[in-house]
Amino acid sequence: MGAIVVKGPCNGPIEVQVDGTIIAPANPAALHDAYEWIKFEYVDFFTLSGKGVFDGQGAIAWNQNDCGKNKNCDMASMNFGFNFLKHATVRDITSKDSKNFHVNVLGCTNFTFDHFTVTAPATSLNTDGIHIGRSTDVKILNTNIGTGDDCVSLGDGCKQITVQNVNCGPGHGISVGSLGKYPKEEPVEQLLVKNCTLTNTDNGVRIKTWPSTPGTNPITDMHFEDITMVDVLNPVIIDQEYCPWNQCSKQSPSKIKISKVTFKNIKGTSKTKDGVILICSKSVPCEGVELNNVALTFNGTEVDAKCVNVKPIVTGKAPKCVATAAA
């Protein structure tokens, strides 16, 4: 099936039930630069259900992806776009091998993913599982996400986001950001990540902002609780010097204020000795960061905590924070 748009407004609740497998063209060009392969938008009381699989056949697109070297790269299509929906549910559906992000949620209110599945190999470039932007009251529940990028990522303008009972891996973890790249970004607030397990991911729970960029939107009320890490590279990380592929300058610090962040009851194993990394901005240091019962080990010994421009509140068991000069 080629790219489609299912667009409201509609006069009543709409349910789309899919129980088979729908396959995208393997050649990215066959989708004619569609931002998303399958798009649902401007519907109130929308449900996508069934045991169906949406197969994006992304392998060719991943091999063509040169965005790490080329800022003007062509962006392949995402599997799903959910835009400006109110009171929406996606349940029991599988997104497989998307060419780009699996799901993009934009401008939605009261949206629930339940028993959703995302599956793609660890080598699939830029295939975030669920990306949320400018949306309020989004819940991701009882979901399994294995992909080549962030399992869940939050863009600007997100409020009241819940990620609960989610298994993540492979992937890059559960991330807030990256933020600050653009001048008119909106604040991010009220995130709860609870009862999640991350297995063999590059990061665990992460907040990331760009240095030397114009964005000033604050990030506040971020709560990561009851998380299990299994051989995770960077289990707990705040990175306000986020600069992938060194495509940016670190000359001036991030302007984004991060506050009221709790890491509570986090256990498991780290692949690195620095299991907790808190690199905050020199111009607006983090405030109200709490480490509460963070019991992580590296090769059987307690991990270290590296801290820059932050003095975390430590309660219960947690690695001692070692102040480190910023890079």
Side-chain angles (χ1 to χ4, degrees), residues 62-74:
W62 309 331
N63 290 332
Q64 292 176 351
N65 187 328
D66 64 347
C67 294
K69 306 169 190 170
N70 176 13
K71 288 185 178 180
N72 300 312
C73 58
D74 292 327

Side-chain angles (χ1 to χ4, degrees), residues 47-313:
T47 302
L48 175 62
S49 67
K51 304 294 183 183
V53 176
F54 290 81
D55 185 349
Q57 292 209 94
I60 293 174
W62 309 331
N63 290 332
Q64 292 176 351
N65 187 328
D66 64 347
C67 294
K69 306 169 190 170
N70 176 13
K71 288 185 178 180
N72 300 312
C73 58
D74 292 327
M75 298 299 288
S77 300
M78 305 183 197
N79 267 8
F80 287 107
F82 299 107
N83 304 325
F84 308 103
L85 303 177
K86 294 180 180 177
H87 317 298
T89 301
V90 174
R91 63 171 180 264
D92 301 325
I93 291 289
T94 295
S95 176
K96 181 176 187 287
D97 292 346
S98 181
K99 293 174 170 62
N100 197 320
F101 290 14
H102 285 261
V103 172
N104 191 36
V105 176
L106 177 65
C108 293
T109 304
N110 187 15
F111 195 136
T112 300
F113 293 87
D114 193 9
H115 289 94
F116 184 59
T117 300
V118 171
T119 176
T123 51
S124 57
L125 291 175
N126 209 42
T127 53
D128 290 41
I130 299 174
H131 179 76
I132 306 167
R134 303 207 174 188
S135 296
T136 300
D137 190 15
V138 179
K139 299 179 183 72
I140 302 170
L141 311 174
N142 313 310
T143 286
N144 294 314
I145 302 176
T147 190
D149 210 300
D150 292 332
C151 290
V152 177
S153 58
L154 268 59
D156 76 300
C158 289
K159 298 179 182 179
Q160 299 172 33
I161 310 297
T162 301
V163 180
Q164 191 163 353
N165 298 328
V166 170
N167 294 314
C168 168
H172 294 180
I174 297 171
S175 294
V176 178
S178 54
L179 294 166
K181 199 170 187 179
Y182 305 104
K184 294 185 179 179
E185 292 181 0
E186 298 177 4
V188 177
E189 54 195 46
Q190 297 174 310
L191 166 68
L192 175 63
V193 178
K194 189 175 176 69
N195 289 335
C196 293
T197 299
L198 297 101
T199 304
N200 285 309
T201 51
D202 283 5
N203 302 285
V205 289
R206 175 169 63 155
I207 301 172
K208 48 182 175 172
T209 73
W210 296 83
S212 300
T213 51
T216 59
N217 55 300
I219 299 170
T220 189
D221 267 330
M222 305 281 110
H223 304 286
F224 305 93
E225 300 179 2
D226 305 325
I227 313 286
T228 300
M229 307 285 182
V230 182
D231 292 337
V232 172
L233 201 59
N234 299 298
V236 174
I237 181 166
I238 295 176
D239 184 4
Q240 294 208 259
E241 295 181 352
Y242 177 73
C243 185
W245 310 303
N246 291 317
Q247 287 191 353
C248 58
S249 161
K250 294 186 181 180
Q251 287 183 337
S252 60
S254 171
K255 300 178 182 70
I256 292 178
K257 180 76 170 183
I258 295 176
S259 63
K260 298 181 185 175
V261 181
T262 58
F263 300 101
K264 181 179 178 182
N265 296 335
I266 296 178
K267 64 182 182 181
T269 52
S270 171
K271 279 187 177 176
T272 50
K273 182 64 173 170
D274 288 331
V276 177
I277 298 174
L278 307 175
I279 301 174
C280 293
S281 171
K282 185 177 181 180
S283 65
V284 278
C286 299
E287 288 186 358
V289 176
E290 182 179 350
L291 300 175
N292 184 345
N293 288 324
V294 177
L296 294 165
T297 59
F298 167 70
N299 287 346
T301 61
E302 185 182 44
V303 300
D304 292 337
K306 175 183 175 183
C307 301
V308 178
N309 300 314
V310 59
K311 295 180 179 177
I313 303 154

